[in-house]
Amino acid sequence: MTPEAGFRLRHKHLLGIEPLDADEVRLILDTTESFLEISQRPIKKVPTLRGRTIVNFFMEPSTRTRSSFEIAEKRLSADSLNFSAAGSSVSKGESLIDTARNLEAMAPDMIVVRHSAAGAPHLLARVCRSTIINAGDGAHEHPTQALLDAFTMRQKKGRIDGLEVAIVGDLLHSRVVRSNIFLLKKLGAKVRVSGPPTLVPPGLHRLGVEVRTHMEEALEGVDVVMMLRVQQERMLGGAFPSLREYFNLYGLTEERIKLAHRDVIVMHPGPLNRGVEIAAEVADGPYSVILEQVTNGVAVRMAILYLLSGGVVGELAA
Amino acid sequence: MNWLLRGGRVVDPVAKLDAVRDVLVKDGKIARVAENIPVDNERVVDLKGKVVAPGFIDMHVHLREPGREDEETMETGGAAAAAGGFASIAVMPNTDPWNDSQSVTEYIVSQAKSRCPVNVFPIGCISKQGRGKELAEIGDMVKSGIVAVSDDGHPVSTSHLMRMALEYTRIFDIPVIDHCEDRSLSKGGVMHEGYHSTVLGLRGVPAASEEIMVARDLILAEMTGGRIHIAHLSTRKSLELVREAKKKQLRATCEVAPHHFCLTDAVVAESGYDTNTKMNPPLRDEDDRDGLLQGLADGTVDAIASDHAPHNRIEKEREFDQAPFGILGLETSVSLALDRLLHAGRVDLIRLVSLYTAGPARILNLPRGTLAPGAVADITVLDLDRRVQVDLGALRSKSRNCPYQGWKLRGAPVLTMVGGRIVFDDRA
């Protein structure tokens, strides 16, 4: 299971989970273990990326992911720069490529990009020399989220292989579900997805997941329930009549959670819509690992930054 | 200048001719097609081993003039057409201003006459400014030379306006060309809705968005007796609807674009969100592509039309969501068809030639598309075995939005004649 010493990522960029193979995913998860330990020390800083410059290029609002990357960068001693659409030349009409080329002229080593358009990191990877890390692109992928989700599952359940995972909610607009499906299938989990048919994109079954219309069927006996946020800001309207009815049909309640395995863990990528996809009691309840996901997120991102900067297993500066 | 085109394999679908013949061109007209025509004082062009066909017609071109001369002009678009083997192009009215009035039509006709090496047949708007509200002055535009009407780029969203257009155009016996798209279904969509849009996280345009409008248009054509032509038809079911309509003898025709029979939505993924794979209608799936290939072979499809849509680099080098729809087509259409249809054994030569000549000529009522004596000497010469490689740097078009860079294809146009004048000659 553990990768051999000397094993490194074969990709220059992290554009998604889809292009990675299972060994690379395992490498990232194993490396995360080491970084989790660093985050628990009184002095949470290592010199690993000293002298490296990382740009956090966030073209879409983000709290969790951006802070998480920023903290990860600081703990690795990298120099980081935060750049967002508001208040920048983007609001003056500069194109994505021009903005990126200008940033790149300042010679960063890595660019962490969040963008509302699927494929934006791919466009940057074509025109930039820096390593591009996808921090969420439209409804396409959110690879670091899936990695921190998998890390949390492994931490709580001891394995991914053979786990039964239900992912419920707004599947159509979710980059989290796509990255999670790719990752979980690579590591041998069984995945069921559920949501109102108006929010289920076509062809999901071809990714090797079971699609269930009724949430209850998806929850039956599962080890992990992952709830997805209802992304009202991306909806064209009419996907469901009201938030109240949505909650009645697809909200995770204490009643419904009884359908799952008794040791189930409840996950959510945030931000939560309490009372829309998840009842407050469940979000705060004993099954919830939502805040641990956030904690693990920092360690996962440290591992990714380390590995993408050329880090090699067994050489980690402790 | 008079010409004797000697020894070529003459393919004329109208005359049902496919044989080695000489073609005599006199005063811009076809004078004779026969074996061993003796030379008088004509210039002789040896075409042994080549195919001599009526001048090809691309009935769906965005020439961008007037208004977007940064993307294409009469000169560059005309040179691209000539090099692509086209003696004639029909140009869509979504220019700036729209071709919705006699004065714009006259402008296009006069500019084309002096600046464009190939024949330009304008298509006028169905509705004023293509807004889909009220009919444009179609009669006036017909007087000035439009050969069809279309709001292409936009669908005709209300059934009432489509009914009016189909009824009103009966006065002039011209076709109504519809860009079939139910915008309530396609809203926000940037690629075909299916497995690949799901994986790529891009908003999809379902096939039904096109098919519903095709069905509506055919029903209205039956009701009104008008002539409907479906532009850039892209799905299997749309094709089946047209096939059924033709069985019922409706006045319905359709065209297919090369990208829809050469590519599928999988290339959006394979290319890593290359915006040169973004067009409207979008690249469909393998089953649709297969349906189109059948339709091209069995005669349901009347014409191959490129939907040549130049866009400047700045607009196309963007996020996939924000890039404009459309790709170039004039200079690659014929080689793609020869390679992927003829040499792939899908369509025979006479049918292929018909899709570029008699087919579109019949739809647009053009007295062209044949090499019958007396016809205008528009001629396209093909070298079926010429090996070509698509090189964006060498295109005549002013734009570069083309997904075929580096493609190796067998077969190419090598000479284009317009009214007895050679406008392109690459016989090597």
Side-chain angles (χ1 to χ4, degrees), chain A residues 257-303:
Chain A
I257 206 131
K258 291 177 188 153
L259 297 165
H261 191 276
R262 60 189 162 80
D263 293 327
V264 69
I265 57 171
V266 172
M267 307 178 76
H268 192 298
L272 296 176
N273 291 316
R274 288 169 187 265
V276 176
E277 67 263 355
I278 190 163
E281 312 85 82
V282 177
D284 303 329
Y287 304 111
S288 171
V289 298
I290 295 171
L291 293 176
E292 285 160 277
Q293 288 175 265
V294 179
T295 304
N296 291 335
V298 174
V300 159
R301 291 179 176 112
M302 287 170 80

Side-chain angles (χ1 to χ4, degrees), chain B residues 344-378:
Chain B
R346 291 287 192 158
V347 168
D348 63 22
L349 184 61
I350 199 149
R351 168 105 193 100
L352 185 138
V353 168
S354 169
L355 286 161
Y356 280 110
T357 57
R362 199 163 44 231
I363 296 163
L364 300 176
N365 304 327
L366 303 178
R368 289 165 200 269
T370 175
L371 295 173
V376 178
D378 287 356

Side-chain angles (χ1 to χ4, degrees), chain A residues 126-190:
Chain A
R126 269 201 291 276
V127 299
C128 293
R129 288 180 307 273
S130 320
T131 286
I132 305 295
I133 299 175
N134 182 358
D137 64 324
H140 175 230
E141 281 225 47
H142 192 349
T144 58
Q145 178 70 42
L147 287 159
L148 74 89
D149 291 337
F151 185 82
T152 308
M153 287 181 215
R154 209 170 74 162
Q155 193 180 43
K156 298 291 167 189
K157 295 286 170 193
R159 67 194 166 105
I160 303 276
D161 190 29
L163 276 187
E164 298 265 4
V165 181
I167 308 177
V168 181
D170 178 357
L171 306 171
L172 179 63
H173 301 102
S174 176
R175 50 193 169 219
V176 175
V177 74
R178 288 166 176 82
S179 287
N180 262 287
I181 289 172
F182 290 130
L183 191 154
L184 292 168
K185 296 309 294 179
K186 282 178 205 288
L187 296 194
K190 292 183 189 140

Side-chain angles (χ1 to χ4, degrees), chain A residues 39-97:
Chain A
S39 293
Q40 287 153 358
R41 296 178 192 173
I43 295 172
K44 305 174 179 59
K45 201 164 179 118
V46 289
T48 316
L49 294 187
R50 196 166 54 199
R52 308 277 182 132
T53 307
I54 301 175
V55 176
N56 298 316
F57 184 39
F58 278 63
M59 305 296 284
E60 196 186 51
S62 161
T63 311
R64 235 164 315 274
T65 305
R66 185 161 126 174
S67 328
S68 183
F69 266 106
E70 204 179 329
I71 291 175
E73 289 151 10
K74 288 187 160 62
R75 288 187 182 164
L76 292 171
S77 306
D79 298 313
S80 59
L81 166 78
N82 289 325
F83 182 92
S84 55
S88 75
S89 52
V90 176
S91 54
K92 298 176 189 164
E94 189 170 53
S95 75
L96 176 63
I97 288 186

Side-chain angles (χ1 to χ4, degrees), chain A residues 115 126 140 178 201-202 206 234, chain B residues 195 198-199 203 272-273 319:
Chain A
H115 200 289
R126 269 201 291 276
H140 175 230
R178 288 166 176 82
R206 284 175 61 186
R234 293 187 211 273
Chain B
Y195 170 75
T198 292
V199 170
R203 207 180 279 279
Y273 297 90
E319 297 88 325

Side-chain angles (χ1 to χ4, degrees), chain A residues 205-226:
Chain A
H205 62 279
R206 284 175 61 186
L207 296 174
V209 304
E210 284 182 47
V211 183
R212 301 279 193 215
T213 301
H214 300 286
M215 181 186 187
E216 289 77 8
E217 292 170 25
L219 295 183
E220 198 79 53
V222 292
D223 303 297
V224 178
V225 180
M226 184 182 297

Side-chain angles (χ1 to χ4, degrees), chain B residues 319-336:
Chain B
E319 297 88 325
F320 199 89
D321 279 343
Q322 286 161 22
F325 293 100
I327 60 165
L328 302 181
L330 280 170
E331 292 174 79
T332 48
S333 175
V334 173
S335 286
L336 288 167

